[in-house]
Amino acid sequence: MNDLDNFRYLPIKEKESVLLSEGKLICSLRSHGLRITLYCLFGRYVEVFHEETNDKIVGVRILEDKRRLRFYARNLDIRFLLGQSLLGMLIMFNYVTEEMLMMAS
């Protein structure tokens, strides 16, 4: 069993702790009363769903489909990205570039 498999079965509070200590924050967006935060963890993308009213985590999901990243790219504020890690900047730049190339073809 790898680290990601172990992470998958942790309780939400423990997942939060692992993300804060080992994950790289990439970006965040707001939708339907939720703040959804994207992390990179163990080479994979993880979404964390927070209720906006009390900042309580209501869900954590490992992204299985990278196409969901387009939602983050569309809502990405460059000021937010510049404040993040180099890894986060590179991941989003690479994805946005791939999306633009696919739309152009």
Side-chain angles (χ1 to χ4, degrees), residues 46-63:
V46 178
E47 293 176 302
V48 180
F49 299 86
H50 304 259
E51 286 182 343
E52 280 194 320
T53 55
N54 60 11
D55 203 36
K56 178 183 175 186
I57 294 177
V58 294
V60 176
R61 175 173 56 191
I62 298 168
L63 271 178

Side-chain angles (χ1 to χ4, degrees), residues 37-82:
T37 308
L38 182 68
Y39 287 87
C40 183
L41 179 70
F42 309 129
R44 299 287 298 275
Y45 300 106
V46 178
E47 293 176 302
V48 180
F49 299 86
H50 304 259
E51 286 182 343
E52 280 194 320
T53 55
N54 60 11
D55 203 36
K56 178 183 175 186
I57 294 177
V58 294
V60 176
R61 175 173 56 191
I62 298 168
L63 271 178
E64 303 296 339
D65 183 0
K66 287 186 180 179
R67 290 179 292 180
R68 276 192 57 77
L69 291 174
R70 72 175 165 260
F71 298 113
Y72 295 95
R74 288 179 185 156
N75 294 292
L76 193 60
D77 181 344
I78 192 67
R79 292 171 296 180
F80 183 90
L81 187 58
L82 290 173

